[in-house]
């Protein structure tokens, strides 16, 4: 499917997503939830895939339309994510938009990181993103193309202390994004990556629970001197999937308050 700006040369309308059919992984919390809200507010039909069940009757409290479809699946499980994407594709009558926000973090230098922590982080962040895209792409090709946004991290771009497994997994997501962009441009699929800096979500809160100074330390890594809001990451994802980004693919965008600029 060619989008309006490709066919008419008309100026693209920023972040208007009417008629788009979107899947967001990790959409029940933090950054994924903000992205799910933002895409749905822009007019996209939405399916959330997450391993955490949707709270019964509480989608409206989360700022999601009550008819949002939720599918419980572990993105690191090949059969589960393949089945979830198949069901999402059926529910939406086609799939043209994908944001892969599900992820986990573990702290530690390389010698401090257990094999089980390495396996867990790489399985979810890198293998899970790979499996999600592998299941979705043939369906997006059938839909005539579309847009994928992966969520990596500033820690996929630069080294930071004691985040060895996480950084390695997110560096993998950055390179996977470029490979996907190269392979699927000819199918009309654009693939871009957002690399958040520190953002106030349950993931970051978990680090702050074990280190009282974590928020201040994270804020100090940015040029803007503060932690980001999930909505500030969602704005970048919404831009990338929209026709306003119709000439952008393979881009890696740090949305990190300048943390990686110095
Ligand atoms: N918060 C930050 O500071 C920050 C910074 C950089 C990158 N990120 C990345 O942004 C993404 C979202 O992080 P967040 O801070 O919103 O975290 P979060 O913990 O608030 O939300 C993550 C969501 O992903 C889901 N999830 C985790 N593993 C899953 C799996 N195997 N299968 C299905 N769903 C799974 C969780 O259930 C949860 O709903 C992650 O990829 C994370 O690495 C976060």
């Amino acid at each position: 499917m060619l989008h309006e700006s490709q066919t008419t040369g008309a100026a693209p309308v920023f972040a208007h997503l009417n008629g788009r059919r979107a899947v967001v992984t990790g959409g029940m919390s933090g950054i994924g939830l903000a992205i799910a809200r933002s895409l749905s507010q822009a007019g996209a039909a939405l399916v959330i895939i997450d391993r955490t069940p949707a709270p019964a009757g509480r989608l409206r409290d989360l700022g999601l339309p009550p008819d949002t479809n939720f599918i419980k699946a572990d993105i690191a499980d090949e059969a589960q994510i393949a089945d979830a994407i198949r069901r999402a594709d059926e529910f939406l009558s086609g799939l043209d938009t994908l944001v892969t926000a599900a992820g986990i973090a573990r702290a530690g230098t390389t010698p401090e990181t257990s094999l089980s922590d390495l396996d867990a982080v790489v399985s979810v962040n890198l293998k899970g993103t790979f499996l999600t895209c592998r299941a979705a792409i043939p369906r997006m090709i059938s839909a005539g193309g579309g847009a994928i946004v992966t969520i990596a991290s500033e820690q996929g771009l630069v080294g930071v202390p004691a985040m060895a497994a996480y950084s390695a997994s997110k560096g993998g997501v950055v390179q996977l994004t470029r490979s996907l962009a190269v392979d699927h441009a000819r199918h009309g699929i654009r693939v871009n990556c957002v690399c958040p800096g520190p953002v106030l979500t349950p993931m970051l809160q978990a680090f702050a629970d074990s280190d009282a100074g974590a928020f201040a330390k994270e804020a100090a890594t940015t040029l803007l001197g503060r932690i980001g809001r999930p909505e500030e990451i969602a704005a970048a994802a919404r831009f990338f999937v929209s026709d306003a980004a119709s000439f952008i693919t393979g881009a890696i965008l740090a949305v990190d308050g300048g943390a990686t600029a110095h």
Side-chain angles (χ1 to χ4, degrees):
M1 177 179 64
L2 285 176
H3 294 296
E4 187 185 3
S5 57
Q6 290 172 286
T7 52
T8 65
V13 180
F14 178 69
H16 147 68
L17 300 175
N18 289 338
R20 297 286 283 276
R21 298 161 293 178
V23 164
V24 177
T25 70
M28 289 315 299
S29 176
I31 289 170
L33 175 59
I35 292 170
R37 268 193 218 115
S38 179
L39 300 195
S40 129
Q41 281 162 7
L46 182 68
V47 172
I48 289 175
I49 297 174
D50 201 304
R51 69 178 174 190
T52 304
R58 283 204 47 234
L59 287 174
R60 201 189 290 274
D61 297 346
L62 295 174
L64 294 166
D67 62 346
T68 302
N69 196 30
F70 171 80
I71 299 173
K72 184 176 186 304
D74 179 351
I75 62 161
D77 183 300
E78 182 180 15
Q80 284 188 35
I81 187 60
D83 186 57
I85 293 287
R86 180 190 59 74
R87 287 167 56 198
D89 184 49
E90 276 175 22
F91 176 82
L92 295 166
S93 304
L95 172 61
D96 53 41
T97 303
L98 171 66
V99 182
T100 61
I104 61 170
R106 298 278 188 280
T109 63
T110 297
E112 289 164 357
T113 300
S114 67
L115 186 55
S116 65
D117 274 355
L118 175 71
D119 283 344
V121 166
V122 172
S123 289
V124 176
N125 295 357
L126 180 54
K127 189 178 82 175
T129 302
F130 181 96
L131 291 175
T132 306
C133 293
R134 196 179 72 172
I137 283 169
R139 296 176 185 280
M140 294 180 70
I141 293 172
S142 298
I148 298 174
V149 174
T150 59
I151 304 296
S153 169
E154 59 164 319
Q155 295 171 17
L157 301 173
V158 296
V160 302
M163 290 298 287
Y166 183 77
S167 295
S169 72
K170 292 299 190 175
V173 171
V174 168
Q175 267 316 94
L176 175 63
T177 306
R178 292 193 176 106
S179 297
L180 289 165
V182 168
D183 287 337
H184 300 293
R186 68 195 169 92
H187 299 124
I189 301 175
R190 297 182 298 101
V191 192
N192 294 292
C193 179
V194 175
C195 293
V199 178
L200 186 54
T201 68
M203 179 185 280
L204 191 61
Q205 184 66 53
F207 282 93
D209 289 345
S210 58
D211 172 3
F215 283 148
K217 277 187 231 157
E218 290 291 346
T221 66
T222 73
L223 296 180
L224 299 179
R226 68 172 174 87
I227 287 167
R229 298 186 302 275
E231 293 72 24
E232 293 175 308
I233 309 304
R238 176 165 156 176
F239 165 70
F240 269 145
V241 301
S242 78
D243 283 356
S246 53
F247 199 49
I248 306 178
T249 194
I252 313 297
L253 179 66
V255 184
D256 63 356
T260 53
H262 63 129

